Amino acid sequence: MPFLLKEKEANMKENVTSTTIFLLLLFLNTNLLNGQSAPGKPKIEKCRSPEKETFTCWWKPGSDGGTAANYTLFYRKEGESLTHECPDYKTGGPYSCYFNKKHTSIWMIYIIWVNATNQMGRSMSEPHYVDVTYIVEPDPPLNLTLEVKQSEDRKSYLLLKWSPPALVDVRSGWLTLQYELRLKPEKAPEWETHFAGQQTQFKIFSLYPGQKYLVEVRCKPDHGSWSQWSPENSIVIPSDIKMKDTTVWIFVAILSSVVCLIMVWTMALKGYSMITCLLPPVPGPKIKGFDTHLLEKGKSEELLSALGCQGFPPTSDREDLLVEYLEVDDSEDQQLMPTYEKDHPSQGRKPTQLDPDNDSGRGSCDSPSLLSEKCEEPRIPAPTFTIPEVNEKPDDPGTNVTHNWDPQGINFKGKNPYFNALGSKSSTWPIPQQSSNHSLRCSYHNIADICKVALGTVNGPTVSLGKEENHALNYPTTIDTGGEETTDKQNELGHFHSNVDQGTTWLLPNEKMPFMSPRPMDYVEIHKVNKDGALSLLPKQKESNGNTEQASAPDSSKEYAKVSRVMDNNILVLMQDPRAQTRVIFEESAKESPQPLQHNQAEKNLSYCTFPPGDCRLQTGNTTE
Amino acid sequence: MCPKGSSVKGSLLLLLLMSSQLLSRSVESLPICPSGAVNCQVSLSDLFDRAVMLSHYIHSLSSEMFNEFDERYAQGRGFITKAINSCHTSSLSTPEDKEQAQQIRHEDLLNLVLRVLRSWNEPLYHLVTEVRSMQEAPDTILLKAMEIEEQNKRLLEGMEKIVGQVHPGDRENEVYSVWSGLPSLQMADEDTRLFAFYNLLHCLRRDSHKIDNYLKLLKCRLIHDSNC
């Protein structure tokens, strides 16, 4: 019997256990079907105050909150121990708590939490610490208006106006707001932002006419967060409004085009002169006295003669023209100075021996005996012609006169520029005053003035060289035109000096001599002087400038004079070249006039050239012999 | 006096002036009246403009300093939970919302501002000293602390001038709250020390905001007749 009791107890225990399990399962199933559980832990998300006078907090329900959970919010303030519940669950929307002004304290920490309860249980959120001071975020500004206006000087601009949000108390200074706006053309991707400070209006310039612009504005309290952007406002800029920039650009464009046109026109008209002003042409090389046209013609002789290279280079046909050498005594009295400076005329002239090898063709009238006492005569009476240092002054014309025409010894410095130039450079005669006193003139083309001066005081029949003079005078000018010399006479004489080197010519008196036939002058030049002191004479070369007198003479052959004898008073007697067809003046004069008189006359008429220390007497003599 | 000496003095003076200008940084430190001037009278409006400028600047610096410290040292330590009712100036009965601030008389409000400013002289001094000695403190916090200390003195001078103009006769005794947080700043325990700093910076941020707000209210009330 006890065995059966034990079995009954076990059965009953099993029944109870299974029932309990069954009931539990049933209960659980029932719960699952109903969806009920303890609410999840809520979380306070955000608290915000729009004006620093009230604030609102929002929370989020827990993850498995399900439905029908009651949320309650409690808070405690700093410095108080009481716990309060949220005064307003509705104003802020679901899951929010709104604290009105009475319940809001500034500069105080609020400790807030949310309780969620349902049938199954409740849960509590983490406490949230919040100070209203630092959660201020105002509403966006209101009443944004756009208007296109024009200022006094016809400038158009866009005027923006707005007002602060409704709740913010700016007037008492409780909150200080700063504004910011942004605008863009309707279809532009980026906004253009402008900070407006504390003002409630803004002007925008330089907008494109005809475009539609969108504008928004927002605000920020002095120590809070930015508000949201206000609702968009738009405006279309009228097309007929002239913005200032366009007018300015049109004006600038017109002005620049006008300036360009003027410049182009000026360049067209005066382009060449401007170019020459900017880029002056490079001057070509020029040689003084060099006439390029002569090169083209191919007449080298004329060309060289233009340069003053008389008789240079000595050509072979010149040999025909050579006459017998002049025999000159080599005594100390007679110091024939046929030698010239072979080199530069600037060398001082010293009495030197005749240099027979001098081949430079210098034909300066340096043969001393060419001049007779006639030379002396003009000297003495000439008021301006003083030769104080001349060693010997011949008193008697015709006598043996030796003159040391050392030009360096003669002091004419202040009197004549020619002399100054010549005295240091050449063996030419010193020159007293010029033309006004001249009666006899020696018109060597290269030392014309010298000779003029020297003869100038001759009281005898004047030899006006006339054309030869002109020719001689013209000569330097031709030289000068070739170069760029001034018309300074010294420069002319410089040319003369070079000419002296090259060759001087005898210029014979022209037709103005009363006893002379009116025939054009022929010129003879001393071609060379040989060892023995013989002079070889050459006709004077035709001038490059084509002197008319000279030009008229080419048909007539040149006459030459060769020295027939030397008279005892160191006078050279020249005779005509037997081959010559025409006659030189000397010849004619010798024929026509009594000999001695003719000699004298001829001597007078002759121009003479200086020999450097030597005598300056040359005389054309009778050539009949 | 030889010219050289006077020129040297002049240049030194110029250098000094320039350096003082540079130190003033973003706040213009224009002297209101040259020192020694007796009859110098600056308008109340200018005084308030200057004061509001200074108070705004001080609060900006304090807010930056606090945020920097909070991000750097106070994360996860729950300092905020302990910094409840821990400011030494909470004994001063200051208005706590706009209505209270608008109801208080401007003289009392001015005196209150003065008290708060004076209460912070010593803590600021120690703050600079202790931050300087803190090796791990970044330079920015130190520089801001030094600047706040400097500007606080200036603001105090300006407020005293304003009080002298607004109600000169009512010269109260110098009342202020005493700060006793120095030992905490010098604690060896890092956690304690850091919380002391945190608390100090937290209270500084709050009080500077209070002063700024009060002055702006006073300015709009007294200068602009409540129509800012």
Side-chain angles (χ1 to χ4, degrees), chain A residues 331-335 392 400-404 570 615 617:
Chain A
S331 66
E332 64 176 344
D333 288 337
Q334 298 178 354
Q335 291 185 351
E392 295 174 72
N400 186 0
V401 178
T402 59
H403 302 280
N404 287 330
N570 300 325
D615 297 336
R617 282 166 291 169

Side-chain angles (χ1 to χ4, degrees), chain B residues 44-208:
Chain B
L44 196 64
S45 172
D46 291 340
L47 285 172
F48 263 108
D49 285 341
R50 178 81 90 42
V52 165
M53 208 161 54
L54 280 170
S55 63
H56 186 99
Y57 179 53
I58 289 168
H59 177 68
S60 303
L61 287 173
S62 305
S63 194
E64 287 173 22
M65 193 164 60
F66 175 82
N67 289 330
E68 195 176 335
F69 185 90
D70 189 26
E71 286 173 25
R72 225 180 153 89
Y73 302 104
Q75 289 302 310
R77 293 176 188 260
F79 285 152
I80 190 66
T81 61
K82 292 189 273 185
I84 303 295
N85 211 20
S86 59
C87 293
H88 66 289
T89 53
S90 52
S91 60
L92 300 171
S93 58
T94 57
E96 293 173 352
D97 59 17
K98 186 176 99 172
E99 286 72 23
Q100 289 181 21
Q102 283 180 330
Q103 283 167 10
I104 194 170
R105 294 189 308 152
H106 63 271
E107 298 93 347
D108 297 333
L109 196 54
L110 281 168
N111 286 331
L112 197 59
V113 167
L114 280 173
R115 273 184 228 144
V116 175
L117 286 170
R118 289 188 193 116
S119 301
W120 276 99
N121 273 337
E122 193 181 336
L124 282 171
Y125 171 77
H126 289 293
L127 176 67
V128 169
T129 311
E130 295 307 316
V131 168
R132 194 180 281 137
S133 67
M134 250 173 84
Q135 290 169 353
E136 62 270 20
D139 286 339
T140 51
I141 292 179
L142 176 61
L143 288 170
K144 289 187 175 86
M146 289 165 66
E147 183 73 2
I148 292 168
E149 185 196 3
E150 172 73 26
Q151 301 303 331
N152 199 70
K153 285 178 191 161
R154 292 238 185 85
L155 183 57
L156 192 55
E157 291 171 11
M159 291 313 300
E160 282 170 354
K161 280 199 174 64
I162 288 174
V163 170
Q165 280 198 22
V166 172
H167 55 109
D170 191 8
R171 179 90 184 151
E172 65 168 19
N173 295 331
E174 292 208 352
V175 176
Y176 62 94
S177 298
V178 176
W179 179 67
S180 57
L182 183 58
S184 303
L185 280 181
Q186 294 165 335
M187 281 289 219
D189 179 40
E190 185 196 8
D191 200 59
T192 315
R193 196 176 72 242
L194 284 176
F195 172 72
F197 274 109
Y198 178 91
N199 194 51
L200 193 59
L201 295 176
H202 160 79
C203 294
L204 179 60
R205 176 168 81 143
R206 173 186 288 175
D207 285 347
S208 59

Side-chain angles (χ1 to χ4, degrees), chain A residues 196-428:
Chain A
Q198 295 179 17
Q199 58 193 13
T200 56
Q201 63 176 19
F202 201 77
K203 291 180 188 173
I204 295 181
F205 300 91
S206 67
L207 292 176
Y208 297 109
Q211 283 251 18
K212 184 178 177 186
Y213 280 89
L214 309 174
V215 185
E216 290 177 350
V217 66
R218 66 175 183 179
C219 60
K220 170 185 175 294
D222 42 356
H223 299 292
S225 313
W226 282 103
S227 70
Q228 301 294 319
W229 288 104
S230 68
E232 194 176 270
N233 203 345
S234 64
I235 191 167
V236 178
I237 312 293
S239 308
D240 58 345
I241 295 291
K242 284 186 184 176
M243 296 293 172
K244 182 194 174 193
D245 287 349
T246 312
T247 315
V248 170
W249 283 114
I250 289 169
F251 181 70
V252 167
I254 291 170
L255 191 66
S256 56
S257 64
V258 167
V259 168
C260 282
L261 279 173
I262 290 170
M263 281 175 62
V264 166
W265 181 65
T266 311
M267 286 288 292
L269 283 184
K270 301 192 177 173
Y272 181 69
S273 62
M274 281 174 63
I275 288 168
T276 53
C277 179
L278 289 172
L279 306 169
V282 178
K286 275 184 181 176
I287 301 172
K288 203 187 298 183
F290 197 81
D291 192 349
T292 53
H293 293 301
L294 292 180
L295 272 179
E296 294 168 5
K297 292 177 191 173
K299 296 184 179 176
S300 61
E301 295 160 357
E302 292 170 354
L303 182 67
L304 293 171
S305 72
L307 288 173
C309 305
Q310 290 297 323
F312 181 82
T315 54
S316 59
D317 53 349
R318 287 280 169 256
E319 298 298 331
D320 301 333
L321 305 176
L322 283 178
V323 296
E324 293 175 5
Y325 291 139
L326 194 63
E327 295 290 333
V328 176
D329 268 346
D330 188 13
S331 66
E332 64 176 344
D333 288 337
Q334 298 178 354
Q335 291 185 351
L336 237 193
M337 288 299 126
T339 60
Y340 320 94
E341 56 279 18
K342 295 180 194 177
D343 309 334
H344 200 265
S346 63
Q347 290 179 6
R349 300 293 183 145
K350 297 289 179 187
T352 57
Q353 286 294 328
L354 199 63
D355 186 4
D357 291 332
N358 186 1
D359 201 11
S360 63
R362 284 174 291 188
S364 68
C365 45
D366 281 346
S367 56
S369 61
L370 190 59
L371 288 174
S372 64
E373 66 274 12
K374 305 296 181 207
C375 298
E376 302 160 3
E377 288 175 1
R379 279 176 299 156
I380 294 169
T384 59
F385 188 78
T386 61
I387 313 174
E389 298 174 17
V390 173
N391 295 332
E392 295 174 72
K393 287 199 175 178
D395 300 327
D396 182 20
T399 57
N400 186 0
V401 178
T402 59
H403 302 280
N404 287 330
W405 290 100
D406 188 352
Q408 293 172 352
I410 296 173
N411 189 6
F412 281 99
K413 296 263 158 71
K415 307 222 171 162
N416 197 311
Y418 287 91
F419 175 73
N420 292 334
L422 290 174
S424 58
K425 291 189 182 181
S426 70
S427 61
T428 53

Side-chain angles (χ1 to χ4, degrees), chain A residues 49-55 98-106 132 136 167-170 172 174-175, chain B residues 97-99 102:
Chain A
S49 170
E51 76 285 77
K52 209 160 75 177
E53 296 171 46
T54 66
F55 72 104
Y98 172 74
F99 297 82
N100 60 12
K101 291 185 185 180
K102 266 197 302 190
H103 295 97
T104 306
S105 298
I106 316 297
V132 180
V136 182
L167 300 171
V168 174
D169 184 4
V170 187
S172 68
W174 183 244
L175 270 182
Chain B
D97 59 17
K98 186 176 99 172
E99 286 72 23
Q102 283 180 330

Side-chain angles (χ1 to χ4, degrees), chain A residues 594-619:
Chain A
Q595 293 246 340
L597 183 60
Q598 270 192 341
H599 284 305
N600 295 335
Q601 301 284 352
E603 285 165 0
K604 286 181 201 171
N605 295 334
L606 278 175
S607 59
Y608 57 89
C609 305
T610 59
F611 283 158
D615 297 336
C616 65
R617 282 166 291 169
L618 291 173
Q619 189 179 22

Side-chain angles (χ1 to χ4, degrees), chain A residues 21 39 54 78 149 183 257 284 349 355 360 392 413 468 477 481 504 583 588 596 625:
Chain A
I21 293 170
T54 66
E78 180 181 356
K149 298 189 101 167
L183 80 157
S257 64
R349 300 293 183 145
D355 186 4
S360 63
E392 295 174 72
K413 296 263 158 71
E468 288 73 16
T477 57
T481 52
T504 56
R583 295 189 174 181
E588 292 175 356
E625 292 178 302

